[in-house]
Amino acid sequence: MTTSSWGGGGGGGGGAVRLWCCGLLLMLLSGGGGAAAQRPPAYKTLSGKAPLVIAKGGFSGVFPDSSQNAYVFALSSTSGDTTLWCDVQLTKDGVGICLRDLLMNNCTSIKQAYPAGEKAYIVNGQRSKGWFPIDYTISSLQSVILTQAIWSRTDKFDFAYLPILAVTNVTDFAKSSSVWLNIEHDIFYRQHGLNMTKYILSISKGGSVQYISSPELGFLQSISGRVNRKTKLVFRFLDATSSDPSSNQTYGYLLSNLTFIKTVASGIMVPKEYIWPVTTNNYIQPAKSIVRDAHSAGLEIYASDFANDRTIPYNYSYDPLEEYLHFVASDNFSVDGVLSEFPLTAAAAIGCFTNLNVSSKTDHGSPLIISHNGASGDYPDCTDLAYQKAVDDGADVIDCSIQMTSDGVPVCMSSINLFDTTNVQRTSFSNRASIFKDIQPTPGIFTFNLTWAEISSSDLRPKISSPESIYYLVRNPVYRNAGNFFRLSDFLTFAKDKDLSGIMIIIKNAVFMANSLGFDVVDSVTKALSDAGYNNQTTKAKEVMIQSEDSAVLVNLKQLETKYKLVYTLPSTIGDASASSLVDVKKFADAVIVERESIFPESQGFIMKETNLVKDLRSAGLAIYAQVFRNEFVSPPWDFFSDVTVEINSYVQLVNIDGIITDFPKTVRRYKMNSCTGLGVNMPSYMNPAEIGVLAQLLNGSQAQPPALAPMPVLNSSDVTEPPFPSAAPKNAPGGAANGSTPAPGASPSGSQAAAVMRAGILPMVTALFASLLI
Ligand SMILES: *[C@@H]1O[C@H](CO)[C@@H](O)[C@H](O)[C@H]1NC(C)=O
Ligand SMILES: *[C@@H]1O[C@H](CO)[C@@H](O)[C@H](O)[C@H]1NC(C)=O
Ligand SMILES: *[C@@H]1O[C@H](CO)[C@@H](O)[C@H](O)[C@H]1NC(C)=O
Ligand SMILES: *[C@@H]1O[C@H](CO)[C@@H](O)[C@H](O)[C@H]1NC(C)=O
Ligand SMILES: *[C@@H]1O[C@H](CO)[C@@H](O)[C@H](O)[C@H]1NC(C)=O
Ligand SMILES: *[C@@H]1O[C@H](CO)[C@@H](O)[C@H](O)[C@H]1NC(C)=O
Ligand SMILES: *[C@@H]1O[C@H](CO)[C@@H](O)[C@H](O)[C@H]1NC(C)=O
Ligand SMILES: *[C@@H]1O[C@H](CO)[C@@H](O)[C@H](O)[C@H]1NC(C)=O
Ligand SMILES: *[C@@H]1O[C@H](CO)[C@@H](O)[C@H](O)[C@H]1NC(C)=O
Ligand SMILES: *[C@@H]1O[C@H](CO)[C@@H](O)[C@H](O)[C@H]1NC(C)=O
Ligand SMILES: *[C@@H]1O[C@H](CO)[C@@H](O)[C@H](O)[C@H]1NC(C)=O
Ligand SMILES: *[C@@H]1O[C@H](CO)[C@@H](O)[C@H](O)[C@H]1NC(C)=O
């Protein structure tokens, strides 16, 4: 069976096993499969050719490992530039099948098909319990389907009911692409009367298998010289302290004898930590010399264990592409290939992101890279370190969210509540909690309850943000309390001589601050800008953007006839905007900020459609900035394959977004510098944008279909119209503090009582495990 015979088929096989229509799989990325990217001439691989992308069980990061869908999509999403990896297991009747584990429990439906089939066997000296392929003939496995083995991935694609594949099915799919067979358990199969050597020799005769790997040196010796001459043998290193059961030597020991390995194999595969060692607290250490050692022994070296949705060392800022670049485009070396469950990201890293001139600055062209609290993915929000990193990483615009101190100093901070941004509950200011219903229903310690001297004192430390902590993803622990806050004046001075196209100042809670605290924030901001010379500055002119979700603030600024660019933040849930509301917005704003989900709304992590919002905003002549882009793999919807670069690429190519607001400016900057999106018809398929809604369409009609979207409100004129901005009541004037700030009954904000409320009510929400990292 060849790919073309099922390419257009719908429904597919009968009986217990039903196949999806496969045509859709080819459309997950829009546009045709272009040619591979023009390769920069030299890679520091052994051959000098581009490193190989090896798709482990196909695109197993999305579809069940070793399934037809996983293999087909691995090829279609990478212009066929991928080697298909199959973990070979043998059935009772000696047929080779592809399955990620010797135990079938997690990667198939075997438990449901044969509930009584559990057995215990000795595997490499260890007793192991579960369902083993040696107990089933190929025909008895017809009723078993492949399932997603990794708990953090969606299991919805299990409902495609995909059958277990024979090794020969995979060599058929591969057509002109290459196939890599990995044999983990030759000794085990031999102990059960099955001859893996014989099977592999029979299958590799045709020459469709280009690579054979095994962690058992004895197995490679048994086929060495007996396979097709073009087939490369690769010795696979496992954990350094474990032993190769065929030689009883540890992998760590075998590593010291590469010249011996070379007599059997033409390459080695190592876990990625062999190359870039990782500390117990998950930071990488300087690279080992292993790549150079292997190359000087004449061995190719492949790195394993890449996946976009696994925790990677903090040095990579949660960006899987950055990790690949350390292996394929390091200053000193390149591995000869990477084994990945998300081959698209690996292919893009190699084809479009190596050999970029990182010292060339961006031109500040579209899309604008707008920081979100500075480079808050790497350092605590709005600190000097976060802003410096944003500048170093090539942000075009840095942002400051204005909060006010009790002595009326405007400062940059992502939240009005110091619980969110500092360790305040561990300081002498912990008794300053109060409740302000206009801000939040629970107690907080607010910036306006501390002076600037107190906020900048060494007792109070900034705290790194953790927007994905419910998934146990915390940010850069080494710097979790590093840096110092900026006053607005410090921020303006800092930004002045930096290579930025502009700054963005964000005004929130202005009405509350005017009515309840007597602060005129708009006035404070305009005064600070003029004091810092942003009004009369002629050289290195920076665009000043002022952002608010309150139209009254922008209307007020518009009346002042400043040169500032006014940016309106749209409500987070809207899916469209009425024509009349846009006429109103246009009166006071030049640009708008929208949430990502207002453009591509999701249901259970699947994008369901593209809304009309962008089209309507654009026809009103408004620039559109989308927020907030985050690298953590849980942030993009499934459609972007846990890779924020795919997400950014899709917003750029599909909706031509004018600005990207991000916690990780470096990732966006590198995207803007890629060497592929300018290639026109020659752009490789892995740089095509995702095809919106196709994953959900794949599930259409199955039990796994995500629920329909709830209706999204349409922005209307009444949303946009607010009462005029109040003039600030003088501070401490009678009635000033009382207006809208009455503390909740029984929750006196004074002293340790409130602190007790806070500890009881808030801290338990942080899991005990991560409390120490978050605070
Ligand atoms: C199955 O998955 C669970 C959870 O991820 C894991 O603990 C277990 O070791 C896996 N079992 C096998 C046989 O892979
Ligand atoms: C796998 O190969 C077998 C034998 O050639 C064939 O009957 C079957 O249809 C193939 N399965 C798929 C999904 O291509
Ligand atoms: C397994 O098959 C190979 C190749 O046919 C053969 O050389 C070898 O002796 C066989 N091993 C056993 C234990 O039968
Ligand atoms: C390795 O150790 C096992 C168990 O002790 C033994 O059965 C086997 O013969 C040994 N193999 C070699 C090559 O020494
Ligand atoms: C490398 O392995 C071979 C075969 O086991 C052995 O003869 C040789 O002494 C080893 N060399 C070193 C340096 O350990
Ligand atoms: C990784 O990050 C840590 C913490 O910032 C740093 O100490 C270390 O040098 C980094 N590793 C490399 C290889 O740069
Ligand atoms: C990489 O190259 C740099 C500069 O050439 C050198 O200092 C460093 O030791 C090299 N690292 C390795 C692992 O070879
Ligand atoms: C990299 O960019 C810088 C700045 O634009 C330029 O001066 C330099 O020549 C570039 N290097 C290469 C190798 O193109
Ligand atoms: C915080 O500041 C507000 C406004 O000035 C004031 O009403 C409140 O009493 C203060 N709370 C504490 C605990 O100092
Ligand atoms: C810009 O304005 C500031 C404050 O208004 C003033 O101190 C400064 O001298 C002005 N600079 C120029 C070049 O006019
Ligand atoms: C699902 O299929 C139905 C009927 O074929 C179609 O009307 C609907 O638009 C599809 N939904 C999606 C999300 O593709
Ligand atoms: C405007 O939208 C709000 C909520 O977004 C809704 O309550 C209100 O009824 C809408 N008004 C009109 C005139 O559609």
Side-chain angles (χ1 to χ4, degrees):
M1 189 168 189
T2 63
T3 42
S4 57
S5 65
W6 44 256
V17 170
R18 191 171 55 83
L19 296 183
W20 272 320
C21 163
C22 304
L24 271 175
L25 265 185
L26 303 169
M27 286 169 42
L28 285 180
L29 298 167
S30 59
Q38 282 172 333
R39 305 275 185 219
Y43 291 88
K44 296 185 180 81
T45 53
L46 188 62
S47 66
K49 289 194 207 141
L52 204 62
V53 176
I54 310 149
K56 188 176 179 306
F59 209 123
S60 55
V62 174
F63 302 105
D65 193 293
S66 308
S67 66
Q68 176 176 325
N69 286 356
Y71 285 121
V72 171
F73 188 53
L75 291 176
S76 69
S77 66
T78 59
S79 307
D81 226 2
T82 295
T83 297
L84 300 183
W85 166 285
C86 160
D87 283 292
V88 181
Q89 315 293 347
L90 293 178
T91 62
K92 190 176 189 171
D93 45 348
V95 178
I97 56 174
C98 301
L99 276 186
R100 58 176 283 134
D101 295 314
L102 177 62
L103 288 165
M104 302 173 76
N105 327 359
N106 282 4
C107 57
T108 71
S109 65
I110 189 98
K111 269 168 138 169
Q112 287 75 45
Y114 297 101
E118 193 173 26
K119 292 275 181 68
Y121 291 112
I122 305 290
V123 182
N124 294 350
Q126 303 264 319
R127 191 167 177 274
S128 186
K129 231 174 126 188
W131 281 255
F132 291 81
I134 55 167
D135 293 323
Y136 301 90
T137 61
I138 186 78
S139 66
S140 65
L141 289 176
Q142 298 282 304
S143 58
V144 176
I145 60 160
L146 294 163
T147 59
Q148 180 52 262
I150 308 289
W151 64 273
S152 57
R153 297 175 184 162
T154 178
D155 62 358
K156 287 187 180 297
F157 299 109
D158 298 358
F159 293 92
Y161 303 108
L162 297 167
I164 294 173
L165 297 176
V167 175
T168 47
N169 290 128
V170 177
T171 52
D172 285 349
F173 294 158
K175 292 202 278 185
S176 58
S177 303
S178 54
V179 170
W180 183 311
L181 302 182
N182 179 53
I183 289 87
E184 295 273 318
H185 293 290
D186 172 49
I187 292 178
F188 174 79
Y189 287 110
R190 197 174 336 136
Q191 285 163 350
H192 294 273
L194 292 165
N195 190 334
M196 184 65 89
T197 305
K198 191 168 151 205
Y199 176 76
I200 293 297
L201 290 180
S202 74
I203 201 129
S204 65
K205 281 236 173 61
S208 54
V209 176
Q210 279 81 0
Y211 302 87
I212 296 173
S213 63
S214 178
E216 296 181 3
L217 204 51
F219 175 72
L220 294 180
Q221 282 165 327
S222 80
I223 58 170
S224 181
R226 300 167 80 182
V227 288
N228 190 301
R229 259 184 301 130
K230 279 190 280 181
T231 305
K232 293 181 174 177
L233 303 187
V234 176
F235 182 54
R236 186 172 190 193
F237 286 79
L238 303 179
D239 178 60
T241 57
S242 63
S243 291
D244 164 12
S246 70
S247 67
N248 289 344
Q249 275 163 344
T250 65
Y251 292 103
Y253 174 78
L254 289 166
L255 193 62
S256 64
N257 201 343
L258 290 177
T259 45
F260 172 56
I261 303 289
K262 174 67 182 163
T263 64
V264 184
S266 62
I268 60 175
M269 174 173 275
V270 296
K272 60 191 183 186
E273 294 77 19
Y274 273 54
I275 298 169
W276 287 99
V278 178
T279 62
T280 50
N281 60 349
N282 205 26
Y283 287 91
I284 51 167
Q285 295 174 312
K288 296 271 196 199
S289 64
I290 177 172
V291 178
R292 212 179 36 207
D293 297 346
H295 284 171
S296 30
L299 287 162
E300 291 186 318
I301 176 166
Y302 302 89
S304 66
D305 304 310
F306 290 89
N308 292 358
D309 59 352
R310 227 162 269 153
T311 306
I312 55 176
Y314 293 110
N315 301 70
Y316 307 131
S317 300
Y318 285 105
D319 181 351
L321 216 142
E322 178 72 22
E323 181 178 42
Y324 288 113
L325 293 178
H326 271 66
F327 289 84
V328 300
S330 162
D331 287 347
N332 300 23
F333 60 79
S334 171
V335 297
D336 299 280
V338 290
L339 176 63
S340 174
E341 299 179 21
F342 291 80
L344 179 144
T345 304
I350 294 165
C352 307
F353 291 92
T354 55
N355 301 343
L356 300 179
N357 182 354
V358 288
S359 64
S360 67
K361 267 286 180 187
T362 49
D363 56 2
H364 301 311
S366 181
L368 279 182
I369 306 168
I370 305 169
S371 76
H372 181 245
N373 305 315
S376 57
D378 295 299
Y379 295 100
D381 286 0
C382 302
T383 54
D384 51 352
L385 295 177
Y387 288 124
Q388 185 63 52
K389 173 87 170 140
V391 169
D392 293 345
D393 286 352
D396 299 309
V397 174
I398 57 174
D399 66 308
C400 166
S401 277
I402 303 294
Q403 313 296 345
M404 298 298 289
T405 66
S406 64
D407 49 343
V409 178
V411 295
C412 302
M413 253 191 233
S414 58
S415 172
I416 195 169
N417 182 358
L418 296 168
F419 284 167
D420 298 334
T421 54
T422 70
N423 67 343
V424 70
Q425 55 271 62
R426 301 226 174 143
T427 68
S428 55
F429 312 116
S430 64
N431 61 357
R432 305 267 180 101
S434 36
I435 295 184
F436 281 87
K437 290 247 157 95
D438 283 1
I439 301 173
Q440 59 179 54
T442 50
I445 296 179
F446 300 102
T447 55
F448 54 80
N449 283 120
L450 271 71
T451 63
W452 167 244
E454 288 170 334
I455 285 179
S456 56
S457 70
S458 59
D459 198 18
L460 192 76
R461 299 306 312 150
K463 181 176 77 177
I464 201 162
S465 64
S466 274
E468 310 292 0
S469 59
I470 58 163
Y471 299 102
Y472 303 108
L473 296 172
V474 296
R475 289 176 169 173
N476 207 3
V478 161
Y479 292 105
R480 68 176 182 266
N481 295 120
N484 295 298
F485 289 118
F486 270 167
R487 286 170 295 195
L488 174 59
S489 57
D490 301 323
F491 173 84
L492 294 175
T493 308
F494 170 86
K496 220 169 162 181
D497 63 348
K498 301 296 184 295
D499 181 13
L500 295 165
S501 68
I503 57 171
M504 180 179 283
I505 293 176
I506 301 158
I507 298 179
K508 282 187 201 149
N509 301 312
V511 174
F512 165 80
M513 290 203 246
N515 287 341
S516 305
L517 308 175
F519 292 137
D520 185 336
V521 183
V522 172
D523 186 56
S524 302
V525 167
T526 49
K527 186 164 176 309
L529 282 165
S530 121
D531 287 351
Y534 276 76
N535 293 347
N536 57 10
Q537 195 185 32
T538 49
T539 52
K540 288 194 186 174
K542 301 246 181 324
E543 182 165 59
V544 175
M545 300 193 213
I546 299 190
Q547 177 199 331
S548 186
E549 59 193 16
D550 299 320
S551 59
V553 167
L554 300 179
V555 168
N556 184 245
L557 279 159
K558 187 85 185 177
Q559 283 160 358
L560 297 176
E561 291 181 2
T562 60
K563 289 181 303 181
Y564 309 141
K565 183 166 177 174
L566 303 180
V567 183
Y568 183 48
T569 310
L570 297 183
S572 60
T573 54
I574 61 159
D576 205 350
S578 69
S580 63
S581 73
L582 290 176
V583 170
D584 292 338
V585 171
K586 215 24 206 169
K587 287 182 193 148
F588 58 78
D590 311 292
V592 293
I593 290 182
V594 301
E595 295 295 322
R596 290 175 301 156
E597 282 212 43
S598 286
I599 300 176
F600 296 130
E602 299 167 27
S603 175
Q604 294 183 350
F606 290 89
I607 297 178
M608 302 304 277
K609 62 172 186 181
E610 180 186 341
T611 65
N612 289 326
L613 185 61
V614 166
K615 190 167 59 79
D616 291 341
L617 291 169
R618 187 137 296 134
S619 65
L622 291 158
I624 307 161
Y625 308 140
Q627 71 178 15
V628 176
F629 288 76
R630 300 198 161 106
N631 286 2
E632 284 98 338
F633 67 84
V634 293
S635 176
W638 300 119
D639 302 63
F640 301 133
F641 318 122
S642 307
D643 179 353
V644 72
T645 298
V646 176
E647 181 172 41
I648 294 164
N649 186 36
S650 298
Y651 278 81
V652 170
Q653 293 199 48
L654 296 176
V655 302
N656 195 15
I657 201 79
D658 301 291
I660 291 201
I661 299 178
T662 176
D663 290 356
F664 298 89
K666 183 177 182 183
T667 300
V668 187
R669 180 187 180 211
R670 197 189 43 219
Y671 167 75
K672 282 173 73 172
M673 293 174 68
N674 82 78
S675 57
C676 291
T677 43
L679 292 176
V681 293
N682 288 324
M683 189 171 73
S685 64
Y686 42 79
M687 283 305 279
N688 283 324
E691 181 90 339
I692 294 308
V694 169
L695 273 189
Q697 280 172 41
L698 272 177
L699 299 167
N700 202 356
S702 82
Q703 293 126 281
Q705 193 172 346
L709 284 173
M712 300 174 81
V714 175
L715 186 76
N716 60 37
S717 289
S718 63
D719 297 323
V720 173
T721 318
E722 287 174 7
F725 186 66
S727 55
K731 200 170 183 221
N732 299 331
N739 191 356
S741 64
T742 322
S748 158
S750 64
S752 58
Q753 216 178 330
V757 171
M758 170 201 104
R759 271 188 222 105
I762 295 181
L763 283 187
M765 289 164 61
V766 178
T767 65
L769 184 59
F770 283 90
S772 64
L773 289 176
L774 295 176
I775 293 165

